[in-house]
Amino acid sequence: MRVTLHPQATEAFGLLGLPWHEPLESWTDSRLVTPRDEGLHRHVVRFVEGGGRMWAIKELPESLADREYRVLGRLGEVGISCVPVYGVVADRAPGLEAALITGFLDYSSTYRALFTGPRGPHSRDRLIDALAQLLARLHLAGAYWGDCSLSNTLFRLDAGQIAAYFLDAETAELHSELSAGQRETDLNFAGENVLGELLDLQAAGMLGD
């Protein structure tokens, strides 16, 4: 097993006793928990309590895990709102993908929870505004998202406002500066993805008036 941990992630050492040689979907460790507001995932994700906090562990190809580790780490360093990243576990067992370790974002909610249970007047509009602000900050920092969507974002009430946090960096790229074409592509992806997600909510009768 090959482990890469963030230099300041000493509390993550307690996770090394987890059954990394097994697929995440078959884990039965007593430290596993289910968050109250868990979003949808394209990869297997398990949540673990340990060291006084909750961790999110995602199983995915090593190249994508390394990309997320690098991108989230860099964005955190420059002050972009994102989930904290702690490490990557690779070479777990023959045939198993790598696992990315991030911190669970306390007091956060998914867009589905906020759209179906609005937090105050105009909260749905503020949620979309928060996503737009996050994308703008990423672009100013030279980060191309590649898959901007509500599903790939967490939201948290912050001083009466809704703040958006970058969650999924599988398609992200870091550059010294983005070109106009990269920004336009990201905006097109964002428009298509958000529209599709809202239509899904509408079809399920969850969108309201």
Side-chain angles (χ1 to χ4, degrees):
M1 189 170 73
R2 181 162 42 87
V3 179
T4 302
L5 289 181
H6 191 279
Q8 299 178 351
T10 55
E11 65 269 41
F13 279 100
L15 301 178
L16 298 183
L18 290 167
W20 296 104
H21 61 285
E22 300 176 4
L24 262 62
E25 62 183 358
S26 66
W27 280 13
T28 57
D29 193 276
S30 60
R31 290 170 286 181
L32 293 173
V33 294
T34 301
R36 176 183 56 84
D37 179 17
E38 183 178 355
L40 304 176
H41 311 289
R42 70 163 63 95
H43 299 287
V44 177
V45 178
R46 305 302 298 271
F47 297 90
V48 177
E49 283 187 338
R53 64 172 306 153
M54 189 184 302
W55 311 82
I57 302 174
K58 178 167 63 173
E59 197 170 58
L60 71 173
E62 184 177 351
S63 61
L64 296 182
D66 289 340
R67 178 197 293 257
E68 287 212 60
Y69 178 79
R70 184 178 68 257
V71 171
L72 290 174
R74 176 56 182 160
L75 293 178
E77 290 173 359
V78 299
I80 300 294
S81 298
C82 61
V83 295
V85 63
Y86 291 99
V88 175
V89 180
D91 296 337
R92 297 161 51 207
L96 288 187
E97 295 181 324
L100 178 75
I101 304 171
T102 60
F104 181 79
L105 192 62
D106 293 331
Y107 310 112
S108 63
S109 296
T110 64
Y111 82 98
R112 284 177 169 264
L114 290 175
F115 265 96
T116 56
R119 311 283 178 87
H122 310 297
S123 63
R124 291 166 174 162
D125 292 337
R126 288 189 290 133
L127 184 149
I128 298 296
D129 288 344
L131 178 64
Q133 291 168 17
L134 175 61
L135 182 59
R137 293 188 66 199
L138 288 168
H139 283 184
L140 289 172
Y144 169 77
W145 194 332
D147 192 18
C148 176
S149 69
L150 295 168
S151 300
N152 290 338
T153 313
L154 287 175
F155 299 90
R156 185 160 67 177
L157 290 175
D158 184 6
Q161 299 297 316
I162 295 177
Y165 286 76
F166 187 55
L167 174 64
D168 194 326
E170 291 177 29
T171 57
E173 300 174 3
L174 297 177
H175 302 273
S176 57
E177 184 178 355
L178 294 187
S179 68
Q182 287 171 318
R183 291 194 296 271
E184 182 178 0
T185 299
D186 243 0
L187 288 170
N188 288 336
F189 277 136
E192 293 172 1
N193 288 339
V194 171
L195 175 60
E197 288 162 328
L198 297 184
L199 289 175
D200 285 342
L201 292 180
Q202 184 180 60
M206 301 168 63
L207 193 57
D209 295 336

